[in-house]
Amino acid sequence: MSGPGHPRVSDAARLAAVAETGLLDTEPEAAFDDLAALAARLLHAPYAFVTLVDDTRSFWKARIGILPDGQVQNAVEESFCQYVVASGQPLIAGDVTAAPLTAGNPSIASMGIRAWAGFPLLSAGGAVLGSFCVVDTVTREWTEDDVTVLRVLSAAAGRELALRTAVHDAALAHQQLALLEAVGRGLSETLEAEEAVARLARLVVPVLGDWSLVSLADEAGTLTDVGWWHARDECRPALDKLAAERLVGLGGRGATIRAQLRNEPVVLQSGALEAGLAVLVSPQARDAYKELNPGAYGVWPLAFAGTVHGVLVIARDAGRTPFTPSEVELAGNIALRAGTVLDNTRLYARQQATTAALEAAHQQLREASRHDRVVARALQEAMLTRLPEPDHLQVAARYRTAESADQVGGDWYDALLPPDGATTLMVGDVAGHDIAAATVMGQLRNMLRAMAWEHADEPPSAIVARLDRALRDLGMTTMTTLLLARIEQDAGAAEAGLRTLRWSSAGHPAPVLIAADGTARLLPTRANPPLAVLPGARRTDQVKTVRPGETVLLYTDGLIEVRGRELEERQAQLLEVLTAHPGLVLDDLLDTALREMVGDRPDDDVALIAVRFHPEDRPRPPEAGPSTVD
């Protein structure tokens, strides 16, 4: 059985994982749109989607082929994603009307679906969040290469989803840290320790639970509820009744008494209602507890130096996700702080130490984040090698980092003069915005540099193919685009003052040729698949004769890709900018292109490398000397 009624579709843990992505009902984003668009292009399909599936609908985070103001989701029972979520396996259907599983799907009629192929998108914990899929309106046979491309791109989309979940987790961690600070303030705002501890019930709701109670023990160890709070107004009368009666007649039974006697937390992740009713004695308490209907329940002792002064109870309504390990730990930390306040008279001095500890934790987080950024930037800057100075060729480059201080990228450029004398240029972009991307970038750059040197007698396409196979053999699966070019000159071309530009693109933007009169145009380029997508794919070269006075520009997509703008529009803008400034020396031309295309604070990292072809029948001009590398 599969479909919206399947247990996996409505599984609470799966739905929580979907919610934790923070992507439901959000606007399209380039990270997902780019992957879906690449899938549609490589598989020649009219539609491609990145979906997130909850218990009622399939939300289309990326929807290639759908108009910008068009449909953004469909009901889960009308989606094909339901089958992937239910089974946890890919669905490859060349004719959905002929397969028993899919033949009755309403979208066959409403959307004209005839062929569907998709892979599950998984959370870090293995929950199926949705699917990465392509759709065709005609029946077709999905080839092995089609399925491989889809598998690789779905994995890339999954990693992007994992990143979003990590961002959500970081936001949750920040919320929990704010709670810890609030607890510290609450415990220090009054000299009456019991009054301060009673306030905990309000502080921990709703971050850690839907309702909470705080109980204090007298010298004989008898507990009394001194504070309680519910997140919803209408439930507070029931909690008042529970607090008045719940401790009556418990004896040595129940989670509250067990946590007090053993001085250790007791956490029930499920079955809290049944467990509580099994020990409550008071009829009023039982009725109130049924009305509150908890699903998960935890009790933490308020203790210091082995002495338990009370307990903190936190409960979650049925249907809310269980406590995570970090939440259990956070509640323990809060209980420990309260126990400390209750235990000793040095409240003021101890609270000062707590505040200092919190500030130190903040500083450690800031320093750790700053360290990550410094390391990644250092990796990138280490790749900015000194540019060569070939005879009568002027090479210049620029690198600009993104505006966002917490992002680093995998963009790079490079140039070298192999033993055969042909100038080799390269520019690339590793997917991702973290230290991992910068590290992969460094590895790829060094591998490509070595291969271009060792196999200088091979065309760029052969070297790119070598690199792609090496990545496969080394298990490096990060998607990367790059363009590798060689500037060659045989005896006949040298006599005529001409040179040959030979290049191969792995999913990278096409080069720009700027004529001697300043007119700029894109060089027609067949974009083969990016690296780590189809390692065995055939790769091709393009060739162009270049004349004195002309300039060739290579760049990463950060120069032309801006959210909300069409790629063709931005490419046309780049050509206009370059054409509008004839006669500029090469360094000034690159600075102008950066300033007018992305400004001083680009949204993404940008790498540029350009070469200008000076006449060989004249002395090398002064501006063709050592170039500034930015």
Side-chain angles (χ1 to χ4, degrees):
M1 174 185 176
S2 63
H6 193 280
R8 288 184 180 173
V9 176
S10 56
D11 178 72
R14 190 194 74 82
L15 296 176
V18 172
E20 286 173 2
T21 65
L23 293 177
L24 287 173
D25 301 314
T26 58
E27 294 297 319
E29 298 180 40
F32 297 106
D33 285 350
D34 290 349
L35 291 170
L38 183 59
R41 183 166 68 251
L42 293 177
L43 273 62
H44 307 291
Y47 299 100
F49 298 88
V50 175
T51 72
L52 295 162
V53 181
D54 61 15
D55 55 341
T56 62
R57 43 64 187 275
S58 172
F59 172 68
W60 305 338
K61 178 59 180 175
R63 43 188 182 272
I64 303 304
I66 303 295
L67 294 175
D69 57 351
Q71 188 175 353
V72 300
Q73 62 187 27
N74 63 352
V76 66
E77 60 267 18
E78 297 177 1
S79 74
F80 283 78
C81 306
Q82 60 175 303
Y83 312 122
V84 173
V85 173
S87 68
Q89 300 296 320
L91 174 65
I92 310 296
D95 183 358
V96 296
T97 65
L101 179 66
T102 59
N105 192 291
S107 292
I108 294 175
S110 62
M111 296 181 66
I113 296 175
R114 288 298 178 271
W116 198 96
F119 276 75
L121 295 176
L122 303 178
S123 71
V128 182
L129 305 175
S131 75
F132 185 96
C133 64
V134 292
V135 178
D136 213 329
T137 54
V138 296
T139 60
R140 62 183 289 177
E141 178 182 353
W142 300 106
T143 67
E144 184 177 345
D145 282 350
D146 291 340
V147 174
T148 299
V149 169
L150 198 58
R151 180 188 299 110
V152 171
L153 294 180
S154 68
R159 288 191 291 272
E160 188 66 29
L161 283 174
L163 174 62
R164 302 314 169 88
T165 302
V167 170
H168 177 274
D169 291 344
L172 183 60
H174 177 76
Q175 183 185 39
Q176 293 177 353
L177 183 59
L179 170 60
L180 202 56
E181 291 177 333
V183 167
R185 290 194 300 271
L187 294 176
S188 64
E189 286 174 351
T190 176
L191 295 177
E192 295 295 330
E194 293 188 2
E195 177 185 344
V197 171
R199 295 176 181 177
L200 289 180
R202 291 196 180 208
L203 291 174
V204 299
V205 172
V207 176
L208 290 180
D210 295 289
W211 52 273
S212 177
L213 302 106
V214 174
S215 306
L216 294 182
D218 59 19
E219 292 184 1
T222 302
L223 291 172
T224 302
D225 288 337
V226 297
W228 52 91
W229 192 251
H230 202 294
R232 298 192 301 279
D233 294 346
E234 66 273 16
C235 295
R236 288 175 195 148
L239 186 57
D240 292 341
K241 294 178 184 178
L242 180 66
E245 297 283 341
R246 76 181 186 99
L247 297 174
V248 174
L250 286 185
R253 301 180 304 154
T256 295
I257 303 302
R258 190 160 69 249
Q260 178 193 21
L261 295 179
R262 297 181 181 179
N263 190 13
E264 61 184 27
V266 177
V267 180
L268 302 177
Q269 296 286 28
S270 61
L273 177 61
E274 295 77 8
L277 292 176
V279 298
L280 288 172
V281 175
S282 165
Q284 293 83 0
R286 291 174 61 84
D287 290 343
Y289 196 70
K290 290 178 184 177
E291 186 176 345
L292 293 170
N293 189 25
Y297 186 94
V299 187
W300 287 264
L302 308 179
F304 182 81
T307 302
V308 177
H309 300 280
V311 295
L312 169 65
V313 176
I314 303 174
R316 292 188 167 185
D317 290 347
R320 183 168 172 176
T321 57
F323 296 100
T324 65
S326 64
E327 289 168 337
V328 171
E329 181 181 3
L330 176 61
N333 287 335
I334 291 172
L336 176 61
R337 288 169 186 260
T340 303
V341 170
L342 291 167
D343 190 80
N344 60 77
T345 59
R346 295 176 293 173
L347 173 62
Y348 180 74
R350 292 184 182 276
Q351 189 54 44
Q352 280 188 318
T354 300
T355 302
L358 284 173
E359 178 56 33
H362 272 303
Q363 184 61 29
Q364 288 177 353
L365 289 174
R366 289 193 292 266
E367 291 297 329
S369 177
R370 187 177 299 114
H371 174 266
D372 285 355
R373 294 194 297 271
V374 168
V375 170
R377 295 299 184 204
L379 283 172
Q380 291 171 320
E381 291 171 3
M383 299 302 104
L384 307 182
T385 53
R386 180 178 178 85
L387 297 175
E389 299 174 30
D391 289 342
H392 295 89
L393 297 181
Q394 180 187 0
V395 183
R398 293 291 185 274
Y399 182 83
R400 288 284 186 276
T401 57
E403 172 187 3
S404 176
D406 62 352
Q407 288 197 350
V408 292
D411 295 32
W412 91 93
Y413 66 79
D414 201 358
L416 67 154
L417 288 175
D420 66 349
T423 301
T424 299
L425 307 176
M426 56 193 77
V427 64
D429 184 2
V430 175
H433 293 87
D434 53 20
I435 289 180
T439 302
V440 172
M441 175 269 290
Q443 293 172 322
L444 286 179
R445 178 260 188 192
N446 289 334
M447 291 169 63
L448 181 58
R449 186 178 179 89
M451 289 180 179
W453 184 276
E454 181 68 22
H455 302 283
D457 57 335
E458 295 183 358
S461 60
I463 296 173
V464 174
R466 281 181 179 274
L467 178 62
D468 208 8
R469 291 193 299 271
L471 297 183
R472 176 198 61 195
D473 295 342
L474 293 172
M476 299 174 65
T477 59
T478 303
M479 188 173 68
T480 302
T481 69
L482 70 82
L483 192 146
L484 178 64
R486 279 171 52 89
I487 301 170
E488 305 165 349
Q489 187 181 53
D490 58 23
E495 185 175 346
L498 305 175
R499 295 180 188 259
T500 298
L501 177 71
R502 191 183 309 275
W503 73 97
S504 182
S505 169
H508 203 78
V512 173
L513 177 69
I514 307 170
D517 63 1
T519 305
R521 63 185 177 90
L522 293 175
L523 290 176
T525 300
R526 180 177 180 180
N528 302 143
L531 299 182
V533 173
L534 287 174
R538 179 175 176 269
R539 301 206 171 264
T540 58
D541 292 290
Q542 280 78 46
V543 179
K544 179 73 175 72
T545 299
V546 186
R547 304 177 182 282
E550 294 183 330
T551 301
V552 172
L553 171 66
L554 313 181
Y555 52 93
T556 57
D557 57 15
L559 184 67
I560 58 173
E561 289 190 358
V562 175
R563 189 173 301 170
R565 299 279 298 276
E566 294 292 333
L567 182 61
E568 292 77 8
E569 177 187 351
R570 288 282 292 170
Q571 287 177 323
Q573 181 183 352
L574 173 61
L575 298 181
E576 291 175 2
V577 167
L578 296 173
T579 302
H581 299 281
L584 285 181
V585 298
L586 190 55
D587 284 310
D588 291 345
L589 183 62
L590 294 187
D591 291 336
T592 300
L594 281 171
R595 182 176 62 253
E596 299 193 15
M597 291 299 294
V598 299
D600 295 330
R601 306 173 73 183
D603 294 333
D604 195 3
D605 288 4
V606 182
L608 309 177
I609 186 167
V611 58
R612 178 161 289 175
F613 297 77
H614 291 288
E616 299 182 52
D617 57 353
R618 308 173 202 171
R620 182 183 177 92
E623 66 268 20
S627 171
T628 301
V629 178
D630 196 341

